[in-house]
């Protein structure tokens, strides 16, 4: 940025970088016998975000043991049938929440995308596979199922035990031994109340490079790019809509 805080244009940025690098030793040392590549894919992995604070307080995460993240749900399912963390009893009614926003805020959890949408559908099927009388409810603001994944989405819509609706989840509260999920602005045009044994929050997938660059490449994705605020501090053309693209095109 210049002295007034404005972004530099391409020519100004080039001049600024030339001045910055004056007298510095080039860290790139090419092996004359090595093979050169045009790009490097840094597949560093991801972690579940920490869901805490006022933004998520209405969902009961952190205060109610039977409100968990999608990662925690996967860990439970890997051990056998879906059960409640609080008492180990069968979880036959499960609500999956795709978006924490309410009112004018229809945003999903940070770092969500097609993967988390598909995970919710897959995990809803776990409930139906585990219990013949199981019910799964998915409340969403955006459902992303690109390409052939749309076929799986449609097959889940046909399952009588899986209920999907766009809607704002207003609150998750205790109701006896169960939980009560209240939602408004649904596709039905009315408020809904659903009793649930378990509530699953579709937390996003935070790239580990958001915490640590991992590899100090001279040219890399991640922190230090302009307009990072548009993409949760992790630069890309749009990691939600175009996960196969990067800023390095061509």
């Amino acid at each position: 940025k210049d002295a007034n805080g404005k972004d530099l244009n391409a020519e100004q940025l080039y001049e600024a970088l030339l001045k910055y690098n004056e007298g510095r030793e080039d860290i790139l040392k090419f092996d004359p016998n090595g093979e050169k590549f045009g790009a490097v894919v840094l597949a560093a992995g991801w972690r579940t975000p920490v869901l805490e604070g006022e933004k998520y307080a209405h969902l009961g995460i952190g205060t109610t043991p039977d409100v968990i993240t999608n990662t925690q749900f996967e860990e439970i399912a890997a051990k056998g049938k879906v059960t409640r963390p609080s008492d180990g009893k069968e979880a036959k009614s499960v609500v999956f929440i795709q978006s924490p926003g309410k009112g004018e805020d229809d945003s999903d959890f940070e770092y969500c995308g097609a993967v988390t949408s598909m995970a919710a559908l897959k995990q809803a099927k776990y409930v139906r596979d585990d219990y013949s009388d199981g019910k799964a409810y998915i409340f969403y603001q955006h459902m992303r199922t690109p390409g052939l994944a749309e076929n799986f989405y449609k097959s889940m819509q046909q399952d009588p035990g899986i209920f999907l609706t766009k809607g704002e989840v207003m609150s998750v509260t205790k109701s006896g031994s169960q939980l009560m999920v209240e939602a408004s602005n649904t596709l039905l045009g009315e408020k809904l109340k659903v009793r649930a044994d378990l509530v699953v929050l579709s937390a996003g997938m935070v790239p580990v490079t958001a915490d640590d660059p991992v590899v100090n490449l001279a040219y890399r994705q991640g922190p230090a790019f302009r307009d990072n605020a548009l993409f949760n501090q992790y630069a890309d053309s749009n990691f939600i809509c175009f996960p196969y693209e990067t800023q390095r095109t061509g």
Side-chain angles (χ1 to χ4, degrees):
K1 295 181 183 294
D2 62 18
N4 297 319
K6 294 183 178 180
D7 286 333
L8 303 176
N9 60 35
E11 291 76 16
Q12 292 171 325
L13 186 60
Y14 176 70
E15 293 297 328
L17 290 174
L18 284 180
K19 184 176 180 180
Y20 175 78
N21 288 316
E22 283 182 2
R24 294 176 181 268
E25 183 180 355
D26 192 345
I27 63 172
L28 298 178
K29 302 295 183 182
F30 289 105
D31 182 349
N33 300 315
E35 187 174 356
K36 294 182 180 180
F37 297 89
V40 174
V41 177
L42 179 58
W46 60 278
R47 64 167 174 80
T48 303
V50 177
L51 303 180
E52 59 185 10
E54 186 63 28
K55 184 176 181 180
Y56 306 110
H58 64 293
L59 300 177
I61 187 70
T63 59
T64 307
D66 292 328
V67 177
I68 61 176
T69 66
N70 45 3
T71 303
Q72 292 171 314
F73 181 91
E74 199 70 31
E75 292 170 349
I76 292 172
K79 298 176 182 177
K81 287 190 174 183
V82 178
T83 56
R84 299 192 306 194
S86 62
D87 55 15
K89 293 183 178 180
E90 296 177 338
K92 292 186 176 183
S93 176
V94 182
V95 171
F96 296 87
I97 300 176
Q98 295 289 93
S99 309
K102 55 182 180 179
E104 295 183 358
D105 181 11
D106 69 344
S107 60
D108 292 336
F109 291 96
E110 293 183 352
Y111 296 101
C112 276
V115 174
T116 47
S117 291
M118 291 298 295
L121 295 170
K122 178 192 70 169
Q123 292 176 345
K125 192 173 186 303
Y126 288 174
V127 178
R128 295 289 291 145
D129 290 343
D130 284 353
Y131 306 109
S132 59
D133 57 343
K135 302 292 182 183
Y137 305 83
I138 300 179
F139 291 95
Y140 63 87
Q141 291 288 3
H142 313 95
M143 183 62 72
R144 304 176 182 90
T145 54
L148 293 176
E150 183 76 10
N151 294 332
F152 180 64
Y153 179 29
K154 289 181 178 179
S155 70
M156 293 300 98
Q157 290 175 316
Q158 301 305 312
D159 189 320
I162 297 179
F163 175 83
L164 300 102
T165 183
K166 182 179 174 69
E168 303 169 13
V169 176
M170 306 306 293
S171 65
V172 177
T173 56
K174 286 287 292 181
S175 178
S177 62
Q178 293 182 298
L179 300 171
M180 180 66 74
V181 179
E182 297 189 43
S184 63
N185 291 330
T186 66
L187 292 177
L188 297 176
E190 58 187 47
K191 293 184 178 180
L192 291 179
K193 291 185 177 182
V194 178
R195 287 187 180 275
D197 298 316
L198 187 64
V199 171
V200 183
L201 308 184
S202 291
M205 302 168 66
V206 183
V208 295
T209 48
D211 305 317
D212 187 338
V214 181
V215 177
N216 288 314
L217 301 176
Y219 183 100
R220 61 180 171 83
Q221 285 282 74
F225 279 89
R226 296 167 68 184
D227 298 327
N228 256 2
L230 296 175
F231 306 111
N232 305 109
Q233 304 303 318
Y234 189 74
D236 210 328
S237 57
N238 190 317
F239 69 87
I240 293 177
C241 298
F242 304 101
Y244 45 83
E245 291 185 3
T246 69
Q247 282 196 337
R248 185 166 186 170
T249 57

